[in-house]
Amino acid sequence: MSSNLDIQTKGLSKNFGSVIALQNLDLEVQSGSVFGLLGPNGAGKTTAVRILSGLLKQTSGNATVCGFDINTQRKEIKAATGLLPETPGLYSKLSAVEFLEFIGALNDMSGELLHRRIDSLMDLMGLEDRQNDLLESYSSGMKQKVLVASTVLHEPKLVFLDEATSRLDPSASALVKEIIMAMAKEMDTTFFICTHMTDFAEDVCEVIGILNEGILNTLGSPRNIIEQVEAEDLEDAYLKIVGGQVDRSKLLSWRD
Amino acid sequence: MEGLNLTRKWFAIAKTEFFVQTSKLRRVRKVASLLLLVFGIIWALFIVPNIMESVLSDLEGTGIDVLLMVSFPSLMRSVMLFLWILLLIYPISYALQEIRIGQWEIMLSNNVSTWDMMFGMFMGKIPIYGLFVLYATPVILTPFTIFFRVSIFGQIIMYFTVFFVALSTLFLSNLITTGIQAKLGESSRGNDIAKALSMVVALALLLPMYGLMFFSDSMSAILGFDIFILFPFTWAADIISWSVIIFNEIGVSATLFIDILKITALGDLVLILCFTIAIIIIAYISADRIFSFGAGPRTEKITTIGEENRFLKGIKRVYTGPPGVLMVNSIKEFTRKMQNVSRLIYGVIIAILLPVIMNYAMGSVPEGAPPEAQPFIVMLVIIMIGMMLAMISGVTFGGIGFLESKDQLWIIKSTPNGVWKFAKARIFGSFILIIPMAIIPSIVAAIIFGFTILDALMIIVYTYWSTCGAVLLCAGVTANNPAYEDQKSSAFILNTMVSLFTLLGILIISLMIGFEVMAINANLLLFMLILSTPMIVIGAIVYVIGIVRMSRPDTK
């Protein structure tokens, strides 16, 4: 497998009983690039991320992540990657600093370096005034910011972001965008972003894959995809590919 | 009086409440309800009377029949007290496991009156608790109806009284629960406090009841009347007793019981009716106030943490680097949850009460007691304290306190060897927190029974060792079948049952082996080692298996 690829999958599939969540995913993600996986709810995006981050076993197929095999080198994959899960699994009874200390310790970090990083990240996220408050009192956007900080804390080579900005307000979303682009450009960090927010994907991602019902049916740059389906923008292209065009005649029929 | 129109809104709320309570049977809800009802009627009319008939005929001439004849009003009061406490505590405890202010907001925004809400919630609980009463009442009443040959009319009054008291108690518990929930809902920590209260509520009600039972004689002497006649369960019990006296066919006369039944049947009936009407009026008047929770859950209380205390800093000094950070944060996270702390306090209080009650019940060891008496009491107290702490600590540290959510597990699993690091920190953190739990009741027992320092030390070591084993075992069970903090989930119920039965099984087998060894070699230290070590060994094995399974990538 090529050394400048951080993700390479071959026929990756996952079934949950009779439900096919992911079907024959063939994908290559360049090192240092920002890749976006778009798709409706239940398309298989989270399943793909969980398999690639070593949390879920695939039913068939194979993949390498940062050069490590997903079947035999899960520990190495976890050390090289960071994951921001779809739903925040924060400890409600820890403060932001304590939670980041906890995540740092799980990644074998401690001491001065860890605390310096935590302080800098809290400052960057605009949470320095609330950093010692228990997380239970944080808004969902603030929690998301803490999770973003926890994901990049150990400077992973590859970052999986599962719906990273869905709970963020526009300014916080813009901040996350900037962090992603800065890390990709300056630190050569690879980003694998799952989202259904087309405007975010269009702004940030160099390559986009559209997943629907477990099948990757479109792959290319945002411009390329828009041109392929003769759409106005990525949202229009997405709707044309995935479906979901609104039938206006039915909009108010529920009153009948 | 819009609420008293009893529009269909209360019915919709009652139906939803019933659906929530029976969600596990949703596919067979109608059939199961019907079957349970039909079987309940068969149970009440045929099965229980037949069983009781044969049991009572066996008891004839044993002296128990005479006891039943003489003491049935007191017996009836005890039975009704038990039923009353059960119907009061359980619904409160169950409902407090989840604050439902969010659902109330939906109802209020749909223009539902507060009385409809309260009445609907009460009505929704009736089917489940009604079934409980349907199954329990025949067991309680049939021995009396058969023994005293109570006429059908008398039996109808007796059954009606139990159902009426059950309903009024349920209404009272519904009122209390709603009031507490509304109050707690104003805080962002409401859910946490409610879960803590759900544990404490049993203790808060049981302790005064125990006190009442122990000190009723002296209180009655001071007051100049029987203290029990102040309680609604007594009025209900006495109505039943009067029914037996008035409608029996074996010639039992009221004059025999005039010392106990101080109020007439009519007087009891008036009292219980007044009590019920008073609760309903209070509920009706206070409904608006209870449900006006103002800013509601949005009234956030922000808790800012201070500097780490010396104890936590000490742990970090002993365990340097990432393991120390993990252990300290694990301790912080566990101890900041009120439900965890309340459970542990509950366990310690019970463990402290045990030697007190035993001492009260048995009297202190007399001066001239044989030398074997002392070690026997030591053993008994040790075993009971150890078992109590082991079970409560096991379920707390290993059950609800182990992992908060599946999402948390994803985060831990996404780090290299994260589950093992977490498991180590969690278990060693628990072992540290158990230390004061083992010490406090052991010292109390040592003081009460006048044990030597060496005996006290041995008790501490044994209690600590067996509690550690129980925590390992219960945490292992949870790691094998993660239930997180959902105390209503089937996984949680299954884990709790498996944990408790396994703990008891191991303790009983260890105890039997211990006694066998004691018969050969009366060495207390050896006895305690035999009692506690199997738990540690089995617990450690189950825990390791659980962590291995937990750290594996998911397949579904």
Side-chain angles (χ1 to χ4, degrees):
Chain A
M1 295 200 177
S2 178
S3 62
N4 64 345
L5 294 176
D6 265 354
I7 295 174
Q8 192 167 25
T9 72
K10 271 259 178 293
L12 206 60
S13 301
K14 179 68 191 173
N15 301 348
F16 295 104
S18 58
V19 179
I20 300 165
L22 199 62
Q23 205 176 344
N24 289 323
L25 180 69
D26 291 328
L27 191 65
E28 289 183 345
V29 176
Q30 294 287 328
S31 183
S33 68
V34 181
F35 177 84
L37 193 59
L38 250 72
N41 295 327
K45 305 187 296 287
T46 300
T47 304
V49 163
R50 286 181 179 166
I51 293 172
L52 293 173
S53 56
L55 297 175
L56 190 68
K57 257 187 185 164
Q58 75 278 22
T59 309
S60 61
N62 206 352
T64 56
V65 176
C66 299
F68 302 113
D69 190 288
I70 58 163
N71 294 305
T72 55
Q73 293 174 294
R74 287 198 184 90
K75 194 180 147 192
E76 287 80 0
I77 290 174
K78 287 172 184 177
T81 62
L83 165 70
L84 188 149
E86 188 181 10
T87 42
L90 294 165
Y91 281 89
S92 55
K93 294 290 176 186
L94 293 182
S95 69
V97 170
E98 288 169 343
F99 178 72
L100 293 176
E101 272 182 357
F102 176 76
I103 296 297
L106 284 175
N107 285 291
D108 299 314
M109 295 170 74
S110 66
E112 196 52 38
L113 171 73
L114 175 64
H115 287 108
R116 231 184 11 249
R117 275 198 189 167
I118 291 172
D119 286 345
S120 305
L121 281 166
M122 287 287 97
D123 193 30
L124 181 65
M125 297 290 171
L127 293 173
E128 66 275 25
D129 293 339
R130 299 284 308 272
Q131 64 180 18
N132 289 318
D133 296 343
L134 293 187
L135 290 168
E136 66 186 6
S137 64
Y138 278 36
S139 68
S140 54
M142 288 160 77
K143 285 178 183 167
Q144 194 74 355
K145 283 183 181 179
V146 175
L147 274 174
V148 171
S150 77
T151 310
V152 297
L153 186 67
H154 62 292
E155 256 187 86
K157 185 167 177 356
L158 165 66
V159 177
F160 294 105
L161 300 177
D162 196 355
E163 306 293 359
T165 55
S166 59
R167 273 177 289 268
L168 296 177
D169 61 39
S171 62
S173 183
L175 174 68
V176 172
K177 264 187 223 172
E178 292 303 322
I179 293 172
I180 292 169
M181 290 196 278
M183 283 182 75
K185 194 176 169 194
E186 308 294 331
M187 295 159 61
D188 210 25
T189 308
T190 310
F191 281 87
F192 188 99
I193 302 169
C194 289
T195 185
H196 48 240
M197 299 175 79
T198 48
D199 51 346
F200 177 80
E202 194 172 355
D203 287 351
V204 175
C205 301
E206 294 154 27
V207 181
I208 283 174
I210 296 181
L211 197 66
N212 193 22
E213 293 177 353
I215 299 167
L216 185 73
N217 45 26
T218 310
L219 190 67
S221 68
R223 179 76 8 230
N224 196 340
I225 293 173
I226 293 167
E227 283 169 5
Q228 265 180 48
V229 292
E230 295 172 355
E232 289 170 18
D233 53 21
L234 191 62
E235 182 179 307
D236 190 30
Y238 173 87
L239 289 173
K240 281 185 172 168
I241 294 164
V242 170
Q245 302 278 22
V246 179
D247 180 355
R248 291 185 184 275
S249 65
K250 287 185 179 170
L251 280 178
L252 295 176
S253 61
W254 52 270
R255 296 184 303 169
D256 299 337
Chain B
M1 300 285 274
E2 184 199 340
L4 284 182
N5 292 336
L6 296 183
T7 59
R8 299 286 288 177
K9 285 178 182 173
W10 70 262
F11 183 71
I13 294 167
K15 202 168 133 185
T16 311
E17 185 82 19
F18 175 69
F19 282 176
V20 170
Q21 288 186 5
T22 54
S23 59
K24 284 197 178 76
L25 300 169
R26 60 191 173 282
R27 289 176 200 280
V28 289
R29 194 179 269 126
K30 275 185 188 165
V31 179
S33 306
L34 199 69
L35 278 177
L36 281 168
L37 183 68
V38 171
F39 185 74
I41 293 166
I42 297 169
W43 166 263
L45 293 180
F46 303 104
I47 300 174
V48 178
N50 279 314
I51 294 171
M52 289 295 175
E53 191 88 58
S54 72
V55 171
L56 284 176
S57 64
D58 289 345
L59 290 177
E60 252 175 64
T62 59
I64 291 175
D65 47 350
V66 179
L67 193 73
L68 199 65
M69 169 77 89
V70 177
S71 63
F72 84 89
S74 310
L75 209 60
M76 194 60 77
R77 283 183 183 180
S78 305
V79 168
M80 289 306 286
L81 167 66
F82 178 70
L83 194 71
W84 197 67
I85 289 177
L86 206 70
L87 283 168
L88 199 61
I89 293 176
Y90 187 75
I92 297 176
S93 189
Y94 183 79
L96 282 179
Q97 286 172 19
E98 187 189 1
I99 292 288
R100 298 168 71 181
I101 298 280
Q103 291 164 16
W104 294 359
E105 280 187 311
I106 293 172
M107 290 181 209
L108 288 170
S109 68
N110 279 288
N111 200 22
V112 179
S113 79
T114 51
W115 170 254
D116 274 354
M117 283 167 66
M118 193 175 282
F119 189 67
M121 286 177 205
F122 163 67
M123 292 298 280
K125 286 180 183 140
I126 289 180
I128 299 291
Y129 290 99
L131 271 179
F132 165 72
V133 175
L134 178 67
Y135 281 85
T137 312
V139 181
I140 296 168
L141 297 183
T142 314
F144 299 99
T145 58
I146 293 173
F147 187 78
F148 292 99
R149 281 189 235 144
V150 180
S151 69
I152 290 292
F153 186 66
Q155 285 187 39
I156 290 170
I157 294 175
M158 289 165 77
Y159 276 90
F160 181 76
T161 307
V162 175
F163 274 94
F164 185 76
V165 169
L167 284 181
S168 71
T169 314
L170 196 61
F171 194 86
L172 177 65
S173 95
N174 189 53
L175 178 66
I176 295 170
T177 311
T178 316
I180 298 174
Q181 285 217 353
K183 196 72 209 151
L184 294 180
E186 289 176 2
S187 159
S188 63
R189 300 172 66 201
N191 248 326
D192 193 24
I193 302 169
K195 281 178 183 168
L197 268 179
S198 72
M199 280 303 298
V200 177
V201 75
L203 205 63
L205 278 169
L206 280 176
L207 281 183
M209 285 299 166
Y210 272 123
L212 188 69
M213 284 158 80
F214 272 120
F215 303 112
S216 60
D217 289 344
S218 44
M219 284 169 80
S220 302
I222 295 165
L223 292 169
F225 62 86
D226 185 356
I227 185 85
F228 281 105
I229 63 168
L230 295 176
F231 294 92
F233 62 84
T234 306
W235 309 328
D238 289 357
I239 293 174
I240 297 170
S241 297
W242 277 115
S243 308
V244 171
I245 292 166
I246 296 167
F247 301 104
N248 80 83
E249 289 169 4
I250 59 168
V252 174
S253 154
T255 50
L256 280 171
F257 307 102
I258 211 77
D259 281 346
I260 304 170
L261 302 170
K262 295 230 168 59
I263 303 172
T264 61
L266 194 66
D268 284 322
L269 187 66
V270 171
L271 280 171
I272 197 99
L273 283 174
C274 287
F275 174 74
T276 308
I277 292 166
I279 298 170
I280 294 172
I281 290 172
I282 291 168
Y284 189 77
I285 293 170
S286 58
D288 273 338
R289 195 177 302 167
I290 287 175
F291 287 108
S292 65
F293 39 89
R298 287 174 296 277
T299 318
E300 297 285 340
K301 183 172 181 274
I302 296 167
T303 311
T304 305
I305 52 129
E307 209 189 323
E308 266 172 15
N309 59 38
R310 284 182 187 177
F311 170 67
L312 296 175
K313 280 181 182 165
I315 294 175
K316 276 188 178 172
R317 264 197 292 275
V318 176
Y319 297 94
T320 51
V325 173
L326 284 176
M327 199 188 300
V328 165
N329 281 6
S330 171
I331 291 173
K332 283 180 190 170
E333 197 265 337
F334 182 88
T335 50
R336 283 176 191 163
K337 285 185 180 157
M338 289 185 75
Q339 58 162 328
N340 293 341
V341 178
S342 80
R343 271 172 191 263
L344 298 183
I345 292 174
Y346 182 82
V348 172
I349 290 177
I350 299 274
I352 289 173
L353 277 178
L354 271 173
V356 177
I357 292 169
M358 275 181 66
N359 193 36
Y360 183 88
M362 303 189 319
S364 52
V365 183
E367 295 269 323
E372 302 86 48
Q374 184 73 11
F376 179 73
I377 292 167
V378 176
M379 274 194 291
L380 211 62
V381 175
I382 292 168
I383 292 162
M384 288 175 79
I385 292 176
M387 277 172 93
M388 187 57 69
L389 282 178
M391 284 198 279
I392 291 176
S393 308
V395 172
T396 308
F397 287 106
I400 47 163
F402 193 65
L403 256 179
E404 203 169 291
S405 64
K406 175 85 178 174
D407 299 314
Q408 219 165 60
L409 183 59
W410 287 124
I411 288 182
I412 294 166
K413 282 177 93 164
S414 69
T415 57
N417 278 336
V419 174
W420 281 100
K421 290 173 195 164
F422 164 80
K424 248 188 270 178
R426 200 40 134 189
I427 212 72
F428 285 117
S430 305
F431 287 175
I432 290 171
L433 292 174
I434 292 167
I435 296 172
M437 288 185 66
I439 291 176
I440 298 167
S442 306
I443 288 177
V444 171
I447 292 169
I448 287 174
F449 289 100
F451 295 152
T452 63
I453 292 176
L454 194 69
D455 283 344
L457 275 175
M458 280 197 288
I459 298 175
I460 291 171
V461 171
Y462 158 73
T463 310
Y464 179 70
W465 200 229
S466 54
T467 308
C468 287
V471 170
L472 273 169
L473 182 83
C474 296
V477 170
T478 305
N480 276 288
N481 181 31
Y484 313 108
E485 286 199 342
D486 182 5
Q487 293 181 45
K488 289 179 178 173
S489 68
S490 50
F492 179 81
I493 296 164
L494 180 73
N495 288 352
T496 309
M497 299 299 283
V498 169
S499 299
L500 289 178
F501 281 110
T502 316
L503 277 175
L504 271 176
I506 296 170
L507 280 168
I508 289 168
I509 293 169
S510 309
L511 199 62
M512 285 159 67
I513 299 168
F515 279 129
E516 289 291 322
V517 174
M518 280 291 274
I520 306 161
N521 179 9
N523 184 326
L524 195 64
L525 193 67
L526 184 67
F527 174 72
M528 285 190 285
L529 215 63
I530 292 169
L531 226 60
S532 54
T533 308
M535 186 81 83
I536 281 275
V537 175
I538 297 170
I541 293 169
V542 176
Y543 192 58
V544 169
I545 293 171
I547 299 306
V548 167
R549 291 185 63 191
M550 209 162 136
S551 55
R552 281 183 196 152
D554 281 20
T555 51
K556 54 185 179 179

